[in-house]
Amino acid sequence: MRLQPYLLSALVALLLIVTSCASSGQSANAQLSDTQLETKVLEIIRKNPQVILDSVQSYQRAQAQQEQQLRDKVLSQIRQEPRLLLRNSPVTGSATQKIVMAEFSDFECPYCAKAHAVVKEFMAKNQNDVTLVYKHFPLSEIHQQAEPAALAAWAASQQGKFWEYHNALFERQTDLSESFYLEQAKALNLDIDRFNRDRQSPQAKDAVKKDFELGKSLGVRGTPSFVINGVFFSGAPTINDLEGLVAQIKAGK
């Protein structure tokens, strides 16, 4: 059993209390090496499993509460000013930007591909009322092509072709690969040298990372997830789901 660093740190205080080993103004940290300290903590865990479990659960509850408070704060700010969701992300739809729907998505996620078809139909009917903003949320741990596809889409956006590129990625999701990214860039008449520079640039990775961090702060844990004027929901929606939320927002105004 190997303790994660954050858990080891969280248990040090408990070690001091249980062992009472500090003396002459010296702490247990000063007396024990890292290896000895971890060994001691593991011994305590074996002898006091329920106490440790309660401590860890308490820590997890506190962390979850802190995350929820942050999420509520950010969502409240978005309800007050939906345009906060836009930042430098690609947008389409209504120029009024009074109803803003942010879609956190992964180009390799099959559920996102299903959601894409629904969102595309929804926006065709509601483009005069709703502003759609795309947010990158690549689940790189399970989708090998998620981040490369996101970087390629960002590069296409630098030449004004994000939505066309975005559509191609979802509609030919099973083809995602290096050759496909170049094929689509050529099909859209992009400057290939610039496209390659842009998708490999630190700016591209930073843009994707910022979207990902924003999503986490809003409670996004999987894709697709959506935020419409501060209302959060996840999963592939239906047309009725989206139109119902928009109707509620309009009624609230």
Side-chain angles (χ1 to χ4, degrees), residues 5 32 69 83 102 170-171 197 199-200 205 242 250 252:
L32 299 176
Q69 289 173 345
R83 292 181 181 88
F170 277 128
E171 290 162 13
R197 286 197 307 271
R199 66 188 174 124
Q200 295 168 9
K205 290 188 176 182
L242 298 178
K250 287 181 177 180

Side-chain angles (χ1 to χ4, degrees), residues 41-241:
V41 170
L42 289 171
E43 181 183 345
I44 295 171
I45 290 175
R46 284 190 291 269
K47 292 181 178 179
N48 305 273
Q50 190 58 48
V51 173
I52 301 302
L53 180 61
D54 290 345
S55 298
V56 171
Q57 289 177 338
S58 177
Y59 172 79
Q60 291 174 333
R61 285 194 297 270
Q63 288 293 105
Q65 184 177 18
Q66 189 176 43
E67 290 176 3
Q68 184 63 47
Q69 289 173 345
L70 175 60
R71 178 189 179 193
D72 291 345
K73 179 180 179 180
V74 176
L75 288 174
S76 176
Q77 292 172 339
I78 292 171
R79 282 192 288 271
Q80 296 294 321
E81 182 48 80
R83 292 181 181 88
L84 290 173
L85 282 170
L86 302 180
R87 298 204 300 191
N88 296 318
S89 297
V91 299
T92 188
S94 175
T96 65
Q97 299 177 352
K98 291 182 179 179
I99 299 178
V100 177
M101 180 170 75
E103 177 183 7
F104 290 85
S105 191
D106 172 329
F107 287 115
E108 196 176 356
C109 168
Y111 300 103
C112 293
K114 292 180 181 179
H116 163 70
V118 173
V119 171
K120 189 175 181 180
E121 181 181 349
F122 169 76
M123 288 303 299
K125 296 170 61 178
N126 296 274
Q127 58 186 331
N128 294 325
D129 297 316
V130 179
T131 303
L132 173 65
V133 54
Y134 186 89
K135 298 292 186 180
H136 298 285
F137 202 84
L139 301 174
S140 301
E141 292 183 359
I142 58 175
H143 295 147
Q144 185 178 2
Q145 291 297 323
E147 185 171 348
L151 296 173
W154 185 89
S157 74
Q158 303 310 294
Q159 298 186 52
K161 295 289 185 177
F162 173 81
W163 294 105
E164 295 90 339
Y165 203 93
H166 154 281
N167 291 344
L169 291 173
F170 277 128
E171 290 162 13
R172 292 183 57 185
Q173 190 178 65
T174 57
D175 295 330
L176 297 183
S177 63
E178 176 64 18
S179 60
F180 179 72
Y181 304 141
L182 290 172
E183 174 191 325
Q184 288 306 305
K186 292 174 182 177
L188 293 173
N189 296 315
L190 300 184
D191 179 325
I192 299 302
D193 288 339
R194 180 184 175 189
F195 172 77
N196 286 330
R197 286 197 307 271
D198 284 341
R199 66 188 174 124
Q200 295 168 9
S201 68
Q203 291 85 352
K205 290 188 176 182
D206 186 57
V208 172
K209 181 180 178 181
K210 284 181 178 178
D211 280 356
F212 193 87
E213 291 299 324
L214 173 63
K216 288 201 299 183
S217 74
L218 293 171
V220 175
R221 296 294 178 266
T223 55
S225 291
F226 299 83
V227 177
I228 302 182
N229 282 34
V231 178
F232 175 88
F233 67 98
S234 62
T238 65
I239 292 290
N240 289 338
D241 290 334

